Amino acid sequence: MTFFKILKKLLAVVLALFGVTFTIYWFNLDMKLVNKIYFWLQKHYDNMKRDKKL
């Protein structure tokens, strides 16, 4: 492969990764995922038996 073919593929990969990360940022998808995980974990920990009552 020539240098320019490798450079072209590398540029395509970098642009694709940028597009994915920008989409995650734009739609705030990371915090939406954290919110779903938080509520799932909250249900789990609310149902656990406690050794001590507060």
Side-chain angles (χ1 to χ4, degrees):
M1 295 181 92
T2 64
F3 174 73
F4 290 111
K5 285 184 181 180
I6 294 172
L7 187 62
K8 188 176 178 181
K9 286 184 181 183
L10 182 64
L11 183 62
V13 168
V14 169
L15 287 176
L17 288 174
F18 176 76
V20 169
T21 56
F22 186 76
T23 303
I24 290 171
Y25 167 76
W26 187 262
F27 292 109
N28 202 18
L29 297 176
D30 54 342
M31 293 310 296
K32 289 179 183 178
L33 177 64
V34 167
N35 191 26
K36 289 186 188 292
I37 293 171
Y38 175 77
F39 282 116
W40 179 76
L41 286 175
Q42 189 175 13
K43 287 180 188 177
H44 171 72
Y45 284 110
D46 284 346
N47 291 330
M48 287 178 60
K49 286 189 173 184
R50 304 279 185 230
D51 292 338
K52 298 179 181 177
K53 297 214 179 216
L54 295 176

